[in-house]
Amino acid sequence: MRPKHIGPYRVLDTLGSGGIGTVYRALDDRTNEAVALKLLSGGPAMDSRAAKRLVREFEALEDLAHPNVVKVYDTGVYQSSPFLVMELIEGLTLRDYLSLRGEQLLSNASSSSGSFRRSPAADSASRELDSEDDGLAPFDLSAFAEEAPSEEMGSGGMRFGTTGSAARLPVPMDPWLGSDSDEVDPLEFELPYDVTASETEPVKRETAARLEELNRPERVGRLKDAMLQVCEALAYIHAHGLVHRDLKPSNIMVDEDRQVRLMDFGLAKFLADDAGMTLDGRMVGTFRYMPPEQILGEPLDARADLYSLGVVLYELMTGRPPFDAKSPVDLWHKVLETEPPPVLAINQRGDPQLARVAHRLIRKEPDDRFQTAEEVYEALSE
Ligand SMILES: Nc1ncnc2c1ncn2[C@@H]1O[C@H](COP(=O)(O)OP(=O)(O)OP(=O)(O)O)[C@@H](O)[C@H]1O
């Protein structure tokens, strides 16, 4: 049940749930200011001492201040669960922002009174975009999709080892590979053509239309601009010694002024060790965006985030992830052993510069990638 009050914050409604908790829209009783409050609950079980310890670590996030990084105002413990109070972003996730309907929502917002409040209707409309308008991969169909499992896949959450869906290396746990994930086909998204087939393979009409939508100059311009802002945010958090570890489109929001905010940075660090594992061996992060070194349980650095950024860019350019599979083991195998189809083989009219950047970001060896977010920024600006 939704709490009415969490500390001095009056809970107004639920913005959504993710792998480690629920985000509420709330009002600070002291200032009457609207905030977003993230109450952690899906992570490792903890007593109030552990929660307090975690909150003390979260306090470091309050010192961060950057226009592209969501502001953390406050932290606390509510019934043994840590919470973070953040700037409330009235906006869309990056994927929705880049969709046609997202564009409409944004232009309506800026042409009206300027208030861009995500209504539940807008949220559900934007969720539909993935399957209908945007031509994007069926994130919601795969058990290892990046989007909120609680909303779209029942109990299929896997991020931060959500209850009943934990995965350990080297052997993924059975519940995760159970019947639910077998029933859905994460490869349902149709490629414009079989990349292994002859060049004369006909391009399906509706798929060509989807690609056309992905390549609209307005959309590509917004994609590039958003990527530049994400690079600025990453450069900032990396300079502060943080690795995001769970970068994905739903952790990137864009407001009506087209200002990007990176969310959930640093949380993973506090929930996992250097290699991205929790104490009980569960992986922190979202499988689809994990670099090889994270899959292998190796220590992570800022270049892990750059890999995830590359997956995001690849997806947003092609409508499908670079690696897709029906089980985590297959996915990990592909990430470790195979090369993804070239962006421009899937989307022939994709922006070549962006495609080059995406491929360099998703190189398997961290040394072969761009080494810093600043380098990515420069490559995108060329
Ligand atoms: N500061 C914020 N302002 C407005 N909406 C937010 C804010 N933080 C999160 N949200 C929204 O709340 C919902 C849940 O967020 P949450 O971060 O819990 O989920 P997630 O990103 O899907 O998963 P994960 O826990 O793996 O990051 C998302 O729809 C997100 O856009």
Side-chain angles (χ1 to χ4, degrees), residues 18-19 23 36 38 87 89 118 159 246 248 250-251 263-264:
V23 181
K38 182 161 187 159
E87 169 188 15
I89 312 295
R118 279 186 319 163
R159 282 81 46 82
D246 197 21
K248 53 187 173 177
S250 72
N251 279 337
M263 344 252 300
D264 279 356

Side-chain angles (χ1 to χ4, degrees), residues 245-317:
R245 292 164 199 253
D246 197 21
L247 186 69
K248 53 187 173 177
S250 72
N251 279 337
I252 301 167
M253 284 188 79
V254 190
D255 71 15
E256 62 190 348
D257 297 324
R258 302 182 186 276
Q259 189 175 327
V260 166
R261 297 301 200 304
L262 184 63
M263 344 252 300
D264 279 356
F265 50 89
L267 283 196
K269 172 180 184 290
F270 301 121
L271 297 170
D273 64 13
D274 282 347
M277 309 286 279
T278 60
L279 276 181
D280 57 0
R282 290 178 294 182
M283 291 173 84
V284 168
T286 306
F287 291 167
R288 184 175 278 183
Y289 302 90
M290 280 183 187
E293 62 268 28
Q294 196 168 0
I295 292 170
L296 294 169
E298 292 170 0
L300 304 179
D301 60 30
R303 296 171 300 176
D305 287 343
L306 300 186
Y307 176 94
S308 307
L309 183 67
V311 177
V312 170
L313 181 56
Y314 186 111
E315 281 184 354
L316 293 171
M317 291 190 73

Side-chain angles (χ1 to χ4, degrees), residues 4-11 27 29-30 37 77-78 83:
K4 288 203 170 105
H5 260 97
I6 296 177
Y9 303 97
R10 182 145 44 95
V11 176
L27 214 55
D29 277 342
R30 299 159 301 185
L37 188 152
V77 179
Y78 172 77
F83 66 83

Side-chain angles (χ1 to χ4, degrees), residues 2-3 6 10-27 34-42 70-71 82-90 93 118 123 148 150-151 159-160 250-251 253 263-264 267:
R2 195 168 70 209
I6 296 177
R10 182 145 44 95
V11 176
L12 301 177
D13 56 49
T14 304
L15 288 167
S17 296
I20 52 165
T22 302
V23 181
Y24 300 109
R25 187 196 308 272
L27 214 55
V35 293
L37 188 152
K38 182 161 187 159
L39 183 63
L40 272 60
S41 57
V70 76
K71 182 71 196 141
F83 66 83
L84 285 119
V85 179
M86 300 169 276
E87 169 188 15
L88 177 70
I89 312 295
E90 300 288 3
T93 65
R118 279 186 319 163
D123 274 352
S150 51
E151 286 177 353
R159 282 81 46 82
F160 305 97
S250 72
N251 279 337
M253 284 188 79
M263 344 252 300
D264 279 356
L267 283 196

